[in-house]
Amino acid sequence: GAGVSQTPSNKVTEKGKYVELRCDPISGHTALYWYRQSLGQGPEFLIYFQGTGAADDSGLPNDRFFAVRPEGSVSTLKIQRTERGDSAVYLCASSSGYTDTQYFGPGTRLTVL
Amino acid sequence: GQQLNQSPQSMFIQEGEDVSMNCTSSSIFNTWLWYKQDPGEGPVLLIALYKAGELTSNGRLTAQFGITRKDSFLNISASIPSDVGIYFCAGQLDNYGQNFVFGPGTRLSVLP
């Protein structure tokens, strides 16, 4: 499709498990962003990629969170030893450049039981 | 961390009415963005503002970047049912890199 896609759309896991969330950006977009959105809140910045490298990971809450973008396209957000507080919608966005409009995907709703 | 405040938190209006909502911060921003989010979807950009005092329109929507660079407002004229959703402001802090800070949102309901 033409937009940002995210898989899975929903993920339910147990406390302590490892999860991976995938983002397929718009083809040709060099910038990719991950956000976390808790219920009733706005999106909270996690990490920004320019190409393959993480240009700004200042929003990652702790070292259980990690993201990669090995070929400068698809990105995976990885969460180790999940906690109930990690439950949220994880949004991915991409843009064609540093100052350009960010286009958001539909998000992955993560529920940690 | 940096915070944006949005008011009102929620609003119920009659179809055809005009809507006004705003966003304030104690910090200076160099870019203001307004997004709309529908249930189960990601936010969609409505208007982007890049200069203090800038007034920009997009159809029935008008937004302004406050002179102090610490606030912005969004107006919607002649509301229609599809305006229902959550409206977020987002700001890019001066010299703070590429991440944007989002407000908590204003939930708009339009009554027929």
Side-chain angles (χ1 to χ4, degrees), chain B residues 29-101:
Chain B
F29 287 86
N30 62 8
T31 300
W32 283 97
L33 306 173
W34 283 94
Y35 285 88
K36 178 175 182 277
Q37 187 173 29
D38 292 328
E41 303 287 331
V44 174
L45 183 67
L46 300 173
I47 292 181
L49 302 159
Y50 300 105
K51 285 193 272 192
E54 180 181 354
L55 183 71
T56 297
S57 293
N58 178 8
R60 293 179 296 107
L61 278 59
T62 301
Q64 185 159 30
F65 191 145
I67 291 290
T68 65
R69 296 169 66 193
K70 293 182 178 182
D71 64 323
S72 176
F73 73 74
L74 175 70
N75 288 342
I76 305 172
S77 63
S79 58
I80 59 177
S82 62
D83 291 333
V84 166
I86 303 177
Y87 291 80
F88 292 102
C89 62
Q92 182 182 27
L93 288 165
D94 206 19
N95 301 319
Y96 196 65
Q98 246 304 289
N99 70 68
F100 286 83
V101 177

Side-chain angles (χ1 to χ4, degrees), chain A residues 28-82:
Chain A
H29 278 190
T30 57
L32 186 146
Y33 309 77
W34 283 99
Y35 293 84
R36 177 169 69 177
Q37 186 174 24
S38 300
L39 191 64
Q41 302 293 321
E44 174 190 7
F45 170 80
L46 296 178
I47 186 169
Y48 155 61
F49 286 90
Q50 182 59 44
T52 60
D56 183 352
D57 64 357
S58 61
L60 294 177
N62 51 60
D63 62 5
R64 295 187 298 104
F65 289 74
F66 190 71
V68 295
R69 195 186 185 200
E71 298 178 358
S73 178
V74 171
S75 177
T76 304
L77 178 66
K78 309 181 181 196
I79 310 174
Q80 298 178 319
R81 303 183 305 278
T82 52

Side-chain angles (χ1 to χ4, degrees), chain A residues 22 48 92 111:
Chain A
R22 176 186 168 110
Y48 155 61
C92 175
T111 303

